[in-house]
Amino acid sequence: MSETYDDPASVTVVVVDDHPIWREGVARDLAAQGFAVVATVADSSFTLRIAAATQPRVVVIDLDLDELSAVEAVRTIANTMPDTRVLVLSERAGHSDVLEAVKAGAAGYLVKSASAAELMDAVRRTANGDAVFTPGLADLVLGEYQRLTVGPEPGQAPVPRLTARETEVLKLVATGLTSQQVAKELGLSRRTVENHVQNTARKLHLHNRVELTRYAITQGLAE
C-alpha cells in the first residue's frame, strides 16, 4: 500500500520558478503550513540536480521557464525519481502544454491565480498520489479523454476492456476528482469508487491515480 502523507512536515518540497518574489512567497506559504521546503530553484536544469540530491516528495514547478523546458524536466523526474511527484503551475490555463506536462508525468496542474489554500491542498493531494487539476481545466482533460472511448488507431494495441462503471469512474478520476467527489457525482459509496479505481488500475497494469490519468490522456491523444 502507498505511504500516506497526512502530516505536512513529512512532505518535502522543492519550489521552482524564475520569478524570485513568487518563488520565495510560495516557499514561505508552504513552510508556514508545516511543509518541509528543502530548496527553491530558479531554473529547471538546476532543478534536476537538486531533485536528484534531495529526492523531494513534491516538486512545484512553473511551466513557463526560459531555460530547459519544464516539460522535459517533468519527464526526467518522472522517469528517474519514482517517489517524487510533480505539480505544474502556470499563469495560463487551457493550452496544449497542460496535456504535454501530464503526458510527461506531472501529477497535476494548477494556475497561479489559485489561492494559497488551493495550492496547499494541491501539494498535499499531490504528495498522496492524487491527480490534481485546476477546476477550469477539467473540460480540457475530459475532451482528450473522450477520444479514448473511440478505440485504438489501426496498429495500436487494443485497450483493455473496462465495464461501463469503470469507464465512468476513470473519466472522473482523470479530471482530478477525489474518491469522495466521484462517489457524490455517481451516487455511489466511497468504498465502491475505490474498488472500481483499483480494478481499473489492475486491468491496465497501473499503480495509482496519476498513472491512470496519464493513461487516459495519452491514449486519447491523436498521434
Side-chain angles (χ1 to χ4, degrees), residues 100-160:
E100 290 305 312
V102 175
K103 287 173 63 183
Y109 190 103
L110 201 65
V111 291
K112 284 187 173 181
S113 59
S115 68
E118 289 172 327
L119 176 58
M120 301 305 112
D121 182 63
V123 171
R124 178 187 59 77
R125 291 180 57 198
T126 298
N128 280 295
D130 286 343
V132 181
F133 293 95
T134 292
L137 297 177
D139 288 344
L140 177 64
V141 176
L142 279 174
E144 294 303 327
Y145 175 84
Q146 294 300 329
R147 304 186 188 208
L148 177 64
T149 64
V150 175
E153 296 290 329
Q156 291 182 334
V159 177

Side-chain angles (χ1 to χ4, degrees), residues 1-216:
M1 180 176 293
S2 299
E3 183 179 358
T4 58
Y5 294 80
D6 297 325
D7 180 6
S10 67
V11 180
T12 51
V13 185
V14 169
V15 179
V16 186
D17 193 280
D18 54 5
H19 293 87
I21 294 176
W22 191 90
R23 181 176 68 244
E24 298 304 327
V26 167
R28 282 195 302 271
D29 287 345
L30 287 167
Q33 293 299 314
F35 292 96
V37 179
V38 297
T40 62
V41 187
D43 66 81
S44 53
S45 57
F46 190 48
T47 296
L48 298 179
R49 297 197 292 273
I50 291 293
T54 61
Q55 297 290 311
R57 180 58 182 173
V58 179
V59 173
V60 178
I61 186 170
D62 178 22
L63 189 62
D64 305 309
L65 297 174
D66 293 333
E67 297 192 12
L68 174 69
S69 164
V71 171
E72 288 305 314
V74 170
R75 181 174 291 109
T76 299
I77 291 171
N79 289 339
T80 63
M81 305 172 207
D83 294 328
T84 297
R85 303 285 182 264
V86 183
L87 177 64
V88 172
L89 294 99
S90 176
E91 294 179 356
R92 307 185 302 275
H95 54 83
S96 61
D97 284 348
V98 177
L99 300 175
E100 290 305 312
V102 175
K103 287 173 63 183
Y109 190 103
L110 201 65
V111 291
K112 284 187 173 181
S113 59
S115 68
E118 289 172 327
L119 176 58
M120 301 305 112
D121 182 63
V123 171
R124 178 187 59 77
R125 291 180 57 198
T126 298
N128 280 295
D130 286 343
V132 181
F133 293 95
T134 292
L137 297 177
D139 288 344
L140 177 64
V141 176
L142 279 174
E144 294 303 327
Y145 175 84
Q146 294 300 329
R147 304 186 188 208
L148 177 64
T149 64
V150 175
E153 296 290 329
Q156 291 182 334
V159 177
R161 184 178 298 278
L162 302 179
T163 67
R165 184 62 85 185
E166 287 168 348
T167 300
E168 276 187 305
V169 170
L170 177 58
K171 175 180 174 182
L172 295 174
V173 166
T175 69
L177 295 186
T178 64
S179 292
Q180 189 62 45
Q181 291 169 327
V182 174
K184 182 177 180 180
E185 180 76 17
L186 298 180
L188 302 172
S189 71
R190 178 174 179 171
R191 177 57 64 89
T192 298
V193 168
E194 290 174 347
N195 286 341
H196 283 310
V197 171
Q198 291 172 4
N199 290 339
T200 301
R202 185 167 53 250
K203 286 183 178 181
L204 299 176
H205 304 290
L206 302 175
H207 302 95
N208 53 51
R209 288 167 176 262
V210 174
E211 292 185 1
L212 283 169
T213 299
R214 289 173 62 190
Y215 173 86

